[in-house]
Amino acid sequence: MNAFTYARATDVADALRHGGEIDAKYLGGGTNLVDLMRENLERPSALVDVTNLSSEIMEREDGSILIGAAARNTAVAENRAIRTRYPLLARAILAGASGQIRNMATVGGNLLQRTRCTYFYDDDGSRCNKRNPGQGCDAIEGFNRIHAILGASTSCVATHPSDMCVALAALDAMVHVTGSQGQRIRALTDLHLLPGDHPEIETTLAPGELITAVELPVLPFARHSIYRKVRDRASYAFALVSVAAAMELEIGVVKDVRLALGGVAHKPWRALKLEALLRGRPATNESFLAAANEELTDAKPLSHNGFKVELAKRTIVAVLAELAGGVA
């Protein structure tokens, strides 16, 4: 591990002052960043501890909820308003990692955790464009069972690891960011990037910008929502495929729906084509399957992960059928 300085920020302005240093990194719970530093995959010159900033979970007058970026994942999952109004978010958090890690991990850190691609972690023996731009990607012709089937490129086929971000994508969550140019708010679905030719650039954050909060907008039918994660073992495993969905029905017809997929792309994958096709359609397994087929039309599986296409379709249908009160 390289030498680095450490400072604990007292407020946002203090964090930005330290975070403006070259190669500085903000430190939340450290459950991913510290691991990457131990592997020499991250080599910050300075760590700026932001766990002393806002961890408040606040219900606002307009009905939205504002979650401070330093809130621990466990606190979010246990919050009464989130459990009752956005149950898919609580379920997604509880589906990730272990209790000990959830007690340490923060919301801001969860948004910025990096891929678990084994070729990315293999600094000694594998080529990785995300780790060393222009080097090549050994995952494309390698063992790529856990890799992307949507939105990948010839430079990178890694997937985003977060469960929480999949739920936030389905909920139209907004991310509050502060930097040298002031404050701004952006959709979570615009925070993470697809790999394109530069997979080393993973978010739209400018250098030194700090995530200060995540906002859950008012979405009444989110009370009726599900997060389902399909993985290789019952706990402490990343998703092969996950589905976060909320659906509003009116006399057997889909009035509105939100759905996002995890484990299939470089970012949480919002299923916009599926949503557009389902609105106004009967809430039947046939409609759900037709919409799932449309969403997966552009899927491009690799040599070892073709099963994800069918797995994603079946999981989508099962989740929507459960929300509709039937069984798929």
Side-chain angles (χ1 to χ4, degrees):
M1 185 181 290
N2 290 358
F4 57 88
T5 62
Y6 171 86
R8 190 172 197 195
T10 55
D11 53 31
V12 171
D14 191 36
L16 293 177
R17 184 164 53 252
H18 291 292
E21 298 177 22
I22 296 175
D23 294 330
K25 289 281 185 181
Y26 294 117
L27 176 69
T31 55
N32 185 216
L33 177 58
V34 174
D35 282 348
L36 293 170
M37 292 171 65
R38 288 176 177 143
E39 298 289 339
N40 278 322
L41 299 175
E42 292 278 10
R43 303 179 182 88
S45 62
L47 283 184
V48 185
D49 187 336
V50 292
T51 55
N52 203 35
L53 305 187
S54 175
S55 60
E56 186 177 10
I57 301 173
M58 180 174 62
E59 295 184 62
R60 303 197 294 186
E61 290 187 3
D62 64 357
S64 62
I65 292 180
L66 194 68
I67 305 170
R72 305 289 179 178
N73 284 9
T74 295
V76 178
E78 291 181 346
N79 182 272
R80 182 178 178 82
I82 290 173
R83 290 174 60 190
T84 55
R85 294 170 54 193
Y86 307 93
L88 80 169
L89 177 56
R91 292 181 185 183
I93 292 172
L94 293 175
S98 65
Q100 292 91 338
I101 291 175
R102 292 194 296 270
N103 289 340
M104 284 294 295
T106 63
V107 168
N110 195 310
L111 265 59
L112 299 180
Q113 64 178 302
R114 305 195 69 185
T115 182
R116 264 59 174 185
C117 173
T118 52
Y119 297 92
F120 170 71
Y121 273 82
D122 183 19
D123 190 29
D124 292 329
S126 299
R127 296 178 303 151
C128 175
N129 289 317
K130 184 182 289 294
R131 192 182 62 238
N132 295 309
Q135 186 181 49
C137 173
D138 280 341
I140 293 175
E141 298 298 330
F143 185 63
N144 42 46
R145 184 171 182 273
I146 66 169
H147 291 77
I149 57 173
L150 291 167
S153 73
T154 55
S155 295
C156 183
V157 292
T159 53
H160 189 78
S162 170
D163 293 290
M164 185 184 79
C165 287
V166 181
L168 292 175
L171 291 171
D172 292 328
M174 307 296 290
V175 181
H176 292 229
V177 174
T178 300
S180 59
Q181 302 301 312
Q183 300 181 15
R184 57 196 178 106
I185 301 173
R186 60 178 45 192
L188 178 123
T189 50
D190 294 333
L191 175 68
H192 303 101
L193 294 169
L194 292 176
D197 295 330
H198 291 284
E200 76 279 10
I201 303 173
E202 297 175 336
T203 73
T204 53
L205 292 176
E209 278 193 313
L210 174 69
I211 294 173
T212 58
V214 172
E215 177 182 341
L216 300 178
V218 179
L219 191 66
F221 68 89
R223 291 179 180 272
H224 193 49
S225 62
I226 291 174
Y227 181 75
R228 184 170 297 182
K229 179 178 182 178
V230 183
R231 48 190 165 181
D232 281 328
R233 56 180 185 268
S235 67
Y236 206 67
F238 295 97
L240 294 170
V241 167
S242 66
V243 174
M247 187 162 64
E248 181 179 22
L249 300 179
E250 190 172 75
I251 317 176
V253 172
V254 178
K255 183 178 180 181
D256 208 348
V257 60
R258 301 284 189 280
L259 191 143
L261 297 168
V264 298
H266 199 254
K267 60 183 290 184
W269 188 266
R270 180 68 180 268
L272 296 175
K273 288 192 290 188
L274 174 148
E275 294 176 6
L277 192 61
L278 271 184
R279 291 188 183 99
R281 293 287 187 90
T284 64
N285 286 359
E286 290 74 20
S287 296
F288 302 150
L289 180 58
N293 283 332
E294 179 66 19
E295 189 62 47
L296 274 297
T297 296
D298 296 327
K300 295 179 179 177
L302 301 163
S303 53
H304 298 101
N305 69 0
F307 70 95
K308 280 192 175 186
V309 178
E310 187 64 23
L311 182 61
K313 292 178 182 178
R314 293 189 183 200
T315 308
I316 289 170
V317 172
V319 164
L320 294 176
E322 184 173 341
L323 287 171
V327 178

